[in-house]
Amino acid sequence: MRPTPRKAFAASVLTVAVLAGVPLPATPAAATPHTAPSAAACTPAQVVTNGGFESGTSPWSQSSTSVITNRAGQTAHGGTTFAWLDGVGSTHTDTLSQSVTIPSGCSSATLTFWLHIDTAETTSSTAYDKLTAKIGTTTLATYSNLDKNTGYVRKSFDVSAFTGQTVNVAFTGTEDSSLRTSFVIDDVALDTSGDTTPPADSTRTPAAPSYTVSLSSNTSGTVWTGHESATFTNASATALSEVYLRLWDNYHGTCSAPPIAVSNVTGGTAGALSVDCTALKIDLSTPLAQGQTATIGFDLGITVPSGADRFGYDGAFSFIGNALPVLAVKDAAGWHLDPYTNNGESFYSLAADFKVTLDHPSTLLVPATGASVDTPGSSGRTITTATASKVRDFAWAAGPFTKISGTSTAGTPVNVYSVTGISSADAQSMLTTAKTAVDAHASRFGAYPYGELDAVIDNNFWFGGMEYPGFVLDLVSTTALTHEIGHQWWYGIVGDDEYNSPWLDEAFTDYATDLALNKTGTSCWNSVSWASTAEKITNSMAYWDTHSSRYSTVIYGYGKCALHDLRRVLGDTAMTKLLKDYATSHWYGVSTTAEFKAAAQAATTTDLTSFWTQHRIEG
């Protein structure tokens, strides 16, 4: 989201629309094309109930009423309640379990939980007190007093072998006769999905990208240097002799002093920068035939400019969106090398895996896309390692944020990072909004697949909000934050070409925002007034950049009203099913206007030809 000129939020604009905008390390892309998932067989879901323990004790079984607790002595990873096993200091056993059913159609299932261990034991060699994590009769891991830590650590296990089964997720903590050890568990989740790769797509390449990045920052978090590599597969029947990197944030500087500097390229030969220095051609060392894989690498320098922007710093707080070079997409139309737009988004990328290591001063908190783990670095520094699977981009921030955390009812951990000047009441309100929004969208379109969700709040942003996978920037605004979180599905999970078809993410997200906020859009199409015969909901950013005053009105306002009208034509039940099925069939894939129109037509016996004409939806 980001209208006026990229998402400025005048009150009058808000009445029309909100403006716009995992834990496992990335693995090399396979050398053979992926097969299409059976989308209808599995609707992604999170099957643990009350994994954050915020909704009482049901349906957990516990050995005593004191296991699920909020009593003093320990703290929650998110929210206020947690499971505290042992910590007695004498011979003792605590248990905690829940029966879950893992859908049979799903090929991927991952159990995660957050664990904190503290102990009075002084030994460095003997495991006196133990915690065992099991699924069914299988022991996943055993921890002990030797695994003590100062905070929570995220644990993750592939439990795909148990799909189609009803099994117990169980924890057992045992203490010996002296010296206590506390095992504290929070935010338990078991996420399922269909295929672990995007749908097969021979028209879009390079496919299945995997990025590995290692960067180190200066003391303020405004300069980052290091290395990036990208592994990818050619999905096309046409040999791939070159690729393009999009260096989007060079829009914010000059070609003589680019904010994003790439050097020392390996795996190919770098050409000249083009498209106002936002595109870099790399001729591959060896052309790739269909199904073959290659890797390119390069040194990377990022210099964050001043400004409260999606790429900029506001005082001590840096926001680093679109800074990592990503592979441009080649499809049936050729290479997509569209220019940067500050009025909306230009971004078009395929679902990718990221492993990003960020070395920074310990005084800075670094929220980021994906699941993050902090470990000590050199003196006074921390290494944040963030991993994300099947995301279209990676963003992070750095600064002395104030952080609060919680867990949605469906089990998604949510973190709110606030800059100086955001009141605790506003931060808490945004946390509540985020937890409600992520569950509302998930219930309609499929379970949120990205682990935790980070929201960075700064009222100095000149736009309403900006979306990245698992990471959003926002003002203090219930509507804006609900919208940006909706983008996790419409752009994040269900991708699109944001430059040429902006309505596919913005209109769909604003429609989802209305539904989440219980707005029906009654008669909203009645207020439509076209500025010219050339104005259409499906126009590209090339059109809207020359008609910027109409962008938010048409793309957000008219776009969502068209979807409300479509719901009235199809009926509520059919529209709900259409969007959920469409999201499932395009999970980690790319949506087009033609594909959506075809799916909508298949959902009704009513001929929709006149509907598309009336609503100026072409393609």
Side-chain angles (χ1 to χ4, degrees):
M1 146 182 174
R2 176 153 171 154
T4 329
R6 182 214 140 140
K7 277 178 196 169
F9 252 86
S12 61
V13 176
L14 265 177
T15 62
V16 177
V18 191
L19 315 173
V22 19
L24 299 178
T27 55
T32 56
H34 299 295
T35 56
S38 177
C42 176
T43 298
Q46 198 290 103
V47 300
V48 168
T49 301
N50 190 24
F53 310 111
E54 301 298 317
S55 303
T57 60
S58 180
W60 292 99
S61 297
Q62 52 182 340
S63 55
S64 72
T65 57
S66 63
V67 172
I68 296 176
T69 184
N70 60 3
R71 68 186 190 272
Q74 297 292 342
T75 58
H77 173 258
T80 60
T81 308
F82 46 89
W84 185 350
L85 286 74
D86 299 335
V88 175
S90 59
T91 302
H92 186 80
T93 298
D94 276 326
T95 61
L96 178 71
S97 65
Q98 179 180 145
S99 176
V100 299
T101 299
I102 306 177
S104 58
C106 297
S107 62
S108 176
T110 303
L111 175 68
T112 59
F113 57 91
W114 291 82
L115 176 63
H116 167 61
I117 302 173
D118 70 40
T119 184
E121 300 282 4
T122 59
T123 179
S124 60
S125 59
T126 305
Y128 291 113
D129 309 317
K130 298 178 182 180
L131 175 77
T132 300
K134 299 177 71 173
I135 184 166
T137 60
T138 300
T139 298
L140 299 173
T142 299
Y143 307 98
S144 75
N145 49 280
L146 299 178
D147 300 304
K148 63 184 179 181
N149 53 318
T150 55
Y152 278 91
V153 176
R154 189 174 190 262
K155 306 297 182 180
S156 177
F157 304 93
D158 182 350
V159 294
S160 304
F162 295 89
T163 55
Q165 300 181 35
T166 298
V167 291
N168 271 352
V169 173
F171 304 92
T172 301
T174 59
E175 281 184 294
D176 71 350
S177 59
S178 65
L179 298 177
R180 60 155 188 84
T181 298
S182 295
F183 300 100
V184 190
I185 299 167
D186 204 355
D187 295 330
V188 185
L190 202 164
D191 293 289
T192 65
S193 62
D195 204 293
T196 56
T197 60
D201 184 352
S202 62
T203 66
R204 297 181 181 93
T205 202
S210 177
Y211 299 95
T212 302
V213 185
S214 179
L215 298 172
S216 180
S217 82
N218 64 353
T219 56
S220 62
T222 58
V223 176
W224 300 77
T225 56
H227 189 79
E228 177 176 343
S229 65
T231 300
F232 52 88
T233 300
N234 180 20
S236 171
T238 302
L240 193 64
S241 60
E242 78 279 344
V243 295
Y244 287 84
L245 290 174
R246 295 315 309 255
L247 283 55
W248 288 114
D249 285 336
N250 280 347
Y251 167 87
H252 298 276
T254 64
C255 290
S256 59
I260 311 300
V262 168
S263 60
N264 298 323
V265 173
T266 58
T269 303
L273 289 167
S274 59
V275 198
D276 294 327
C277 297
T278 66
L280 176 63
K281 182 182 179 181
I282 297 178
D283 290 309
L284 298 178
S285 300
T286 303
L288 288 186
Q290 186 174 33
Q292 290 184 328
T293 295
T295 298
I296 58 173
F298 47 88
D299 291 337
L300 176 63
I302 299 170
T303 303
V304 183
S306 176
D309 206 338
R310 57 187 171 192
F311 179 60
Y313 67 83
D314 180 15
F317 302 91
S318 294
F319 315 107
I320 310 170
N322 304 110
L324 294 183
V326 294
L327 292 162
V329 176
K330 183 181 182 182
D331 60 20
W335 285 105
H336 283 258
L337 301 176
D338 299 304
Y340 185 101
T341 176
N342 205 39
N343 190 44
E345 286 80 40
S346 302
F347 317 127
Y348 177 25
S349 54
L350 303 184
D353 293 342
F354 285 81
K355 181 178 181 181
V356 180
T357 302
L358 302 169
D359 183 332
H360 57 88
S362 299
T363 53
L364 306 179
L365 296 184
V366 179
T369 292
S372 296
V373 175
D374 288 343
T375 56
S378 59
S379 179
R381 297 181 68 87
T382 295
I383 297 174
T384 297
T385 301
T387 56
S389 178
K390 303 301 173 283
V391 297
R392 298 180 193 279
D393 204 345
F394 186 98
W396 73 99
F401 294 101
T402 299
K403 176 187 177 183
I404 59 173
S405 300
T407 305
S408 75
T409 300
T412 298
V414 179
N415 306 302
V416 169
Y417 294 82
S418 301
V419 304
T420 304
I422 302 295
S423 70
S424 58
D426 280 344
Q428 189 61 53
S429 173
M430 291 299 92
L431 178 61
T432 299
T433 293
K435 292 191 294 183
T436 300
V438 72
D439 284 355
H441 296 315
S443 69
R444 291 185 173 90
F445 311 123
Y448 177 74
Y450 296 142
E452 65 192 37
L453 172 65
D454 293 338
V456 178
I457 309 297
D458 185 342
N459 274 336
N460 292 330
F461 290 137
W462 59 268
F463 50 89
M466 180 63 204
E467 69 281 357
Y468 296 98
F471 176 98
V472 299
L473 305 172
D474 217 85
L475 304 173
V476 176
S477 166
T478 295
T479 304
L481 186 55
T482 302
H483 176 102
E484 300 313 326
I485 292 172
H487 273 301
Q488 301 302 307
W489 284 263
W490 304 105
Y491 142 78
I493 298 167
V494 180
D496 65 288
D497 178 347
E498 293 186 304
Y499 187 85
N500 289 295
S501 301
W503 89 287
L504 286 172
D505 54 279
E506 297 300 357
F508 280 61
T509 296
D510 231 29
Y511 175 76
T513 301
D514 273 6
L515 297 181
L517 298 178
N518 298 312
K519 297 179 180 179
T520 62
T522 302
S523 302
C524 69
W525 188 259
N526 297 348
S527 62
V528 167
S529 176
W530 300 106
S532 72
T533 57
E535 189 170 84
K536 301 176 178 65
I537 287 175
T538 46
N539 281 349
S540 74
M541 290 307 304
Y543 177 89
W544 299 117
D545 279 345
T546 59
H547 302 81
S548 59
S549 65
R550 294 287 292 170
Y551 170 61
S552 63
T553 298
V554 177
I555 292 296
Y556 294 79
Y558 295 1
K560 75 172 180 182
C561 287
L563 293 173
H564 280 299
D565 263 14
L566 181 61
R567 174 172 52 83
R568 283 182 271 273
V569 171
L570 302 183
D572 289 354
T573 300
M575 183 67 167
T576 297
K577 185 176 187 303
L578 165 65
L579 287 181
K580 191 157 192 175
D581 288 350
Y582 191 77
T584 299
S585 64
H586 289 75
W587 204 262
Y588 301 140
V590 175
S591 170
T592 66
T593 297
E595 287 172 341
F596 178 71
K597 289 171 66 175
Q601 184 60 76
T604 179
T605 56
T606 301
D607 186 345
L608 295 177
T609 302
S610 62
F611 179 92
W612 306 126
T613 301
Q614 175 194 358
H615 293 81
R616 300 196 181 188
I617 295 173
E618 298 181 357

